[in-house]
Amino acid sequence: MCGIVGYIGNKKASDILINGLIRLEYRGYDSAGISTIEKNDLSVMKDKGRVKNLYNLDGIDNLSGTIGIAHTRWATHGKPSKENSHPHIDNSKTFSVVHNGIIENYNELRKFLIEKGYTLYSQTDTEVIPNLIHYYYKQDKSSDSLRFLRAVKKACSDLKGSFALEIICKDYPDNMIVTRKDSPLVIGKGEGENYISSDIPAILSFTRNFYLLNDFEFAFLSRNNIEFYDSNLKPIAKSTQSIEWNATSSEKDGYEDFMLKEIYEQPTAIRETIGSKLSEDGKCEFEELNFTKKDLSCINRIYIVACGTAMHAGLVRKDCDRKTL
Ligand code: GLU
């Protein structure tokens, strides 16, 4: 899980993005970052730790761009670090991407990109995405307004797993593309401006009119307009839904309390944490740990350090050990 925010309009994007991230920090707080278009160039500012750390970054106050994307991370691939923070950019610094979800075939895509001459600087699954977009973008020799969208669509067709994506491109300084599959993303419609978020409450103070995207649908945003496309890039019509609830009840997604909400979120939480480690035959694989049989045979005690619900999960494990040893 992580939080993503986006803005395209006439206001200074960085303030809106950081405020939105603060409201989404419950979704992840390993690192945070924003990317804006500044005078036709991409700016990326990110750091490890909480969203408020962004205020300490040199130059953050000087950003004046009115289009941008932002992310607060809950790491799934690669440790919490600055280099693994989102946004991620491609080698040519043309595309900037934030991602919520897991790319299950990222190893395969990494190998493909490295063979094509790309360098990957982080350990995340996400970094393949901007580079794949660039790969398809440079193959497309036409220069019409949909070249950016075609490249994003082709890259998404290669992805297995879950994603909510926001993408900006320095060649399209007045546009943003968003898409999703199995990860949440909503589009808030304003007057001459549009907002993106992982959940409704983070942007409910700006608008009550929302577009919802189905899996594999694309939105091509400009300040005054949003075009929607299906998975074959056929234009589709969408209407807004008006939200009547207040921010607190929408944060609970209709559940009576947060505890009940968390209980119902468990299948998604499990899928997002270990889903990419499960192979089709039901085995759980943690290749990156590089444990040999000999290493495992030397382990005679496991410590589980946890509190809250995780403590109860740990106690269940402890109980199993008593029975099996
Ligand atoms: N899988 C991505 C990462 O580890 C995104 C995680 C998230 O959804 O925060 O960077």
Side-chain angles (χ1 to χ4, degrees):
M1 192 158 84
C2 82
I4 63 178
V5 189
Y7 176 75
I8 173 165
N10 295 305
K11 298 183 191 127
K12 182 174 148 99
S14 56
D15 293 340
I16 294 168
L17 296 172
I18 296 175
N19 284 328
L21 287 184
I22 289 170
R23 302 212 62 172
L24 288 177
E25 214 172 12
Y26 76 93
R27 298 179 62 87
Y29 37 79
D30 288 335
S31 62
I34 66 173
S35 179
T36 52
I37 299 186
E38 302 289 323
K39 301 189 179 66
N40 292 356
D41 239 330
L42 288 179
S43 144
V44 177
M45 300 225 173
K46 54 189 187 178
D47 207 358
K48 197 172 129 168
R50 309 298 292 241
V51 174
K52 65 175 174 13
N53 294 355
L54 292 178
Y55 289 119
N56 302 328
L57 296 179
D58 273 351
I60 198 116
D61 295 332
N62 301 331
L63 296 176
S64 58
T66 56
I67 161 168
I69 58 178
H71 189 270
T72 176
R73 180 170 184 240
W74 189 60
T76 66
H77 292 64
K79 62 181 187 211
S81 66
K82 183 171 177 176
E83 71 180 1
N84 287 336
S85 312
H86 300 218
H88 288 281
I89 54 169
D90 70 296
N91 288 180
S92 74
K93 299 188 171 55
T94 307
F95 299 96
S96 189
V97 170
V98 295
H99 165 222
N100 169 206
I102 289 172
I103 305 306
E104 290 164 10
N105 58 337
Y106 82 104
N107 260 329
E108 193 184 301
L109 296 171
R110 266 181 98 93
K111 278 186 207 137
F112 170 80
L113 287 166
I114 290 167
E115 271 166 27
K116 297 287 173 202
Y118 288 84
T119 307
L120 294 158
Y121 297 96
S122 78
Q123 294 115 37
T124 62
D125 50 340
T126 302
E127 201 188 356
V128 297
I129 302 173
N131 286 300
L132 258 188
I133 297 173
H134 175 259
Y135 171 75
Y136 287 116
Y137 187 72
K138 77 172 194 304
Q139 285 192 339
D140 190 334
K141 299 295 174 211
S142 51
S143 57
D144 59 278
S145 66
L146 292 183
R147 183 179 174 209
F148 176 21
L149 183 61
R150 280 193 299 271
V152 170
K153 188 256 166 192
K154 283 185 183 154
C156 288
S157 304
D158 288 348
L159 305 178
K160 291 199 180 118
S162 58
F163 51 84
L165 297 172
E166 295 174 335
I167 307 129
I168 51 177
C169 170
K170 86 173 163 98
D171 298 343
Y172 288 76
D174 298 311
N175 299 108
M176 177 189 302
I177 294 177
V178 301
T179 183
R180 64 175 286 272
K181 189 206 154 231
D182 293 336
S183 290
L185 182 145
V186 296
I187 303 171
K189 184 182 177 311
E191 288 297 316
E193 57 183 6
N194 293 298
Y195 298 83
I196 316 292
S197 173
S198 297
D199 74 17
I200 289 173
I203 51 174
L204 205 51
S205 57
F206 299 113
T207 177
R208 296 202 150 255
N209 297 318
F210 286 86
Y211 290 106
L212 305 179
L213 282 188
N214 293 321
D215 279 356
F216 273 123
E217 287 181 344
F218 298 85
F220 188 79
L221 296 109
S222 43
R223 288 174 177 82
N224 290 302
N225 191 31
I226 310 177
E227 292 164 9
F228 294 98
Y229 297 87
D230 72 7
S231 56
N232 296 315
L233 294 194
K234 198 166 137 267
I236 47 174
K238 266 192 191 289
S239 23
T240 52
Q241 304 197 9
S242 180
I243 301 298
E244 309 296 338
W245 342 306
N246 63 30
T248 316
S249 60
S250 60
E251 273 166 10
K252 288 193 233 154
D253 262 352
Y255 292 105
E256 244 169 69
D257 51 58
F258 281 107
M259 190 168 160
L260 201 57
K261 181 174 177 242
E262 284 183 14
I263 289 170
Y264 279 94
E265 278 174 353
Q266 283 178 22
T268 312
I270 291 172
R271 207 162 36 237
E272 289 194 347
T273 45
I274 63 162
S276 64
K277 308 285 179 201
L278 284 177
S279 60
E280 276 173 11
D281 58 8
K283 283 194 187 137
C284 203
E285 289 169 0
F286 289 90
E287 275 172 6
E288 69 277 19
L289 295 179
N290 287 328
F291 278 140
T292 61
K293 277 198 174 155
K294 191 164 166 240
D295 295 332
L296 291 172
S297 66
C298 297
I299 298 173
N300 54 19
R301 181 165 295 188
I302 296 172
Y303 291 91
I304 300 175
V305 182
C307 63
T309 315
M311 180 190 78
H312 291 287
L315 287 172
V316 170
R317 183 60 242 169
K318 183 180 170 199
D319 206 33
C320 291
D321 276 346
R322 271 207 214 107
K323 281 181 203 146
T324 49
L325 286 178

